[in-house]
Amino acid sequence: MILISGVAGFIGSNLAGKLLEKGNVIVGIDNFDPYYSKEIKKENIAHLSKSKNFIFYEGDIRNERFLRKVFKEHSIEAVIHIAARAGVRASIKDPYLYNDVNINGTLNLLCAAVGSVKKFIYASSSSVYGNPIYLPIDEKHPTNPISPYGITKLAGEKYCLFFDKTYGLKSTCLRFFTVYGPGQRPDEAIHKFTRLAFEDKPIKIYGDGNQTRDFTYIDDIVSGTILALNKNIHGEVFNLGYGKRISVNELVDLIERYSGKRIKREYVDKAAGDVSDTWANIEKAKEMLGYEPKISIEEGVKKFIEWFKIKSKNKKL
Ligand SMILES: NC(=O)c1ccc[n+]([C@@H]2O[C@H](COP(=O)([O-])OP(=O)(O)OC[C@H]3O[C@@H](n4cnc5c(N)ncnc54)[C@H](O)[C@@H]3O)[C@@H](O)[C@H]2O)c1
């Protein structure tokens, strides 16, 4: 039995779907945090709820009593801790909230898991690195986050590694690099740009658009996470990216190509908290986990746009 926190979100729901397909029983928890629409999150888990192997609790990881109850009712063997308040820019406006959900929430879940759970997987982020000193970024790169979000994700990692070392809760931290694909959060670049393209509205690009990102397709993140869950490795941190990068300007070109839309670009001041570049060195995950990302950005953007068109026709966005 695997507990997934943040199961109604983009990554959590995709991961739960794959693990159910593989025959696992999933206990999912989510508080339908208002960062974006509850309706989208309910839709994310609607198909999962049809499975008798999916048990869902609406609740908050900051609520210790709630967590204790869930762990008492089920014999949880593994935890995949995905729940977090996401969003770099929003974290600058409300660092207390990010601190509370991402650090206190993580600590609560670790405390609930210790003693009985055999493996704890933590969804971390490339944001822990801050502006890169060298590229591609390997796991030894210094961690100098430049947003409250990045700081809280790094603190979460430190707690996981502390619990691994001191309390014997086998933990693995996965640093995801910009994840996209069907179901992506509506505030994220590929989703937002595509939506605006189809609404014939201009898009805002922060800075000159030459900043680069290593965009990672959701299926690759899901398979990397499952590999980390099943390998007898713990106390480690891994980058999970695609291993290549493109600029924001090149990304918009790709969306134009596959949507058939002409996109008007408005260049505005660089946003605080946004790092200059991300590009993952994924050698460690390849060697130790057998991770092998498969979906290129060209293929992934194409798949995303196909999904977007179907969803918007059904008015489910
Ligand atoms: N999407 C990315 O590009 C990306 C990149 C790096 C890391 N991550 C990490 O991956 C995880 C998932 O990201 P996502 O894009 O799927 O975000 P998401 O917002 O779609 O999913 C997060 C889920 O957690 C839930 N949640 C938030 N606060 C909670 C709380 N207090 N109690 C219970 N549930 C709560 C939300 O309701 C949401 O369903 C996060 O930990 C994020 O930091 C994401």
Side-chain angles (χ1 to χ4, degrees), residues 61-128:
I61 53 167
R62 288 169 293 179
N63 181 342
E64 285 173 74
R65 199 144 31 107
F66 160 67
L67 291 181
R68 265 203 304 275
K69 184 171 164 274
V70 175
F71 277 80
K72 206 171 160 198
E73 272 174 30
H74 304 281
S75 44
I76 310 286
E77 288 149 300
V79 171
I80 309 182
H81 176 31
I82 302 282
R85 184 78 183 200
V88 167
R89 290 175 205 139
S91 75
I92 292 170
K93 293 198 186 107
D94 198 351
Y96 277 108
L97 174 65
Y98 280 73
N99 208 75
D100 197 21
V101 175
N102 298 359
I103 302 181
N104 294 337
T106 298
L107 183 55
N108 279 345
L109 202 49
L110 285 163
C111 287
V114 78
S116 58
V117 166
K118 294 191 185 75
K119 193 77 179 271
F120 192 101
I121 304 288
Y122 173 69
S124 186
S125 164
S126 59
S127 303
V128 302

Side-chain angles (χ1 to χ4, degrees), residues 88-308:
V88 167
R89 290 175 205 139
S91 75
I92 292 170
K93 293 198 186 107
D94 198 351
Y96 277 108
L97 174 65
Y98 280 73
N99 208 75
D100 197 21
V101 175
N102 298 359
I103 302 181
N104 294 337
T106 298
L107 183 55
N108 279 345
L109 202 49
L110 285 163
C111 287
V114 78
S116 58
V117 166
K118 294 191 185 75
K119 193 77 179 271
F120 192 101
I121 304 288
Y122 173 69
S124 186
S125 164
S126 59
S127 303
V128 302
Y129 293 115
N131 284 316
I133 295 164
Y134 59 84
L135 290 165
I137 304 167
D138 59 18
E139 291 81 354
K140 293 196 179 95
H141 187 286
T143 47
N144 293 311
I146 59 166
S147 64
Y149 170 73
I151 294 168
T152 62
K153 296 306 287 187
L154 183 59
E157 278 189 10
K158 298 285 183 200
Y159 265 122
C160 291
L161 298 175
F162 167 76
F163 269 67
D164 181 278
K165 222 180 186 144
T166 310
Y167 301 145
L169 175 59
K170 292 181 178 164
S171 305
T172 301
C173 302
L174 303 174
R175 292 175 177 162
F176 298 161
F177 281 64
T178 324
V179 190
Y180 73 103
Q184 188 189 24
R185 293 201 327 260
D187 61 308
E188 291 261 65
I190 294 181
H191 197 155
K192 197 165 62 184
F193 293 170
T194 303
R195 187 175 59 243
L196 291 169
F198 280 101
E199 288 171 357
D200 293 314
K201 288 185 181 152
I203 62 161
K204 244 186 227 157
I205 295 179
Y206 294 97
D208 61 8
N210 290 323
Q211 63 272 38
T212 57
R213 294 288 177 270
D214 186 338
F215 291 100
T216 318
Y217 196 71
I218 181 67
D219 294 5
D220 290 327
I221 290 293
V222 166
S223 53
T225 305
I226 295 174
L227 284 166
L229 176 72
N230 294 332
K231 281 268 165 181
N232 192 18
I233 289 172
H234 63 96
E236 294 284 347
V237 172
F238 294 98
N239 285 342
L240 290 187
Y242 181 63
K244 288 192 177 153
R245 62 178 174 144
I246 64 163
S247 72
V248 172
N249 287 327
E250 288 168 322
L251 173 69
V252 181
D253 293 343
L254 272 184
I255 297 175
E256 280 191 328
R257 190 192 311 161
Y258 294 119
S259 66
K261 295 294 223 177
R262 190 108 192 90
I263 302 176
K264 189 167 181 302
R265 308 168 195 211
E266 276 177 13
Y267 290 88
V268 297
D269 287 346
K270 197 176 167 296
D274 278 3
V275 299
S276 55
D277 302 281
T278 69
W279 177 13
N281 177 323
I282 52 174
E283 287 312 308
K284 185 176 173 188
K286 279 184 169 179
E287 273 165 36
M288 291 177 72
L289 302 177
Y291 172 65
E292 203 60 66
K294 294 193 170 64
I295 311 287
S296 69
I297 184 69
E298 289 79 10
E299 203 183 331
V301 166
K302 209 164 141 197
K303 278 170 175 278
F304 178 81
I305 291 174
E306 278 160 17
W307 169 83
F308 181 89

Side-chain angles (χ1 to χ4, degrees), residues 10-11 30-31 36 41 60 82 149 153 179 185 188:
F10 164 46
I11 298 174
D30 204 295
N31 72 339
Y36 64 91
K41 293 179 184 180
D60 196 313
I82 302 282
Y149 170 73
K153 296 306 287 187
V179 190
R185 293 201 327 260
E188 291 261 65

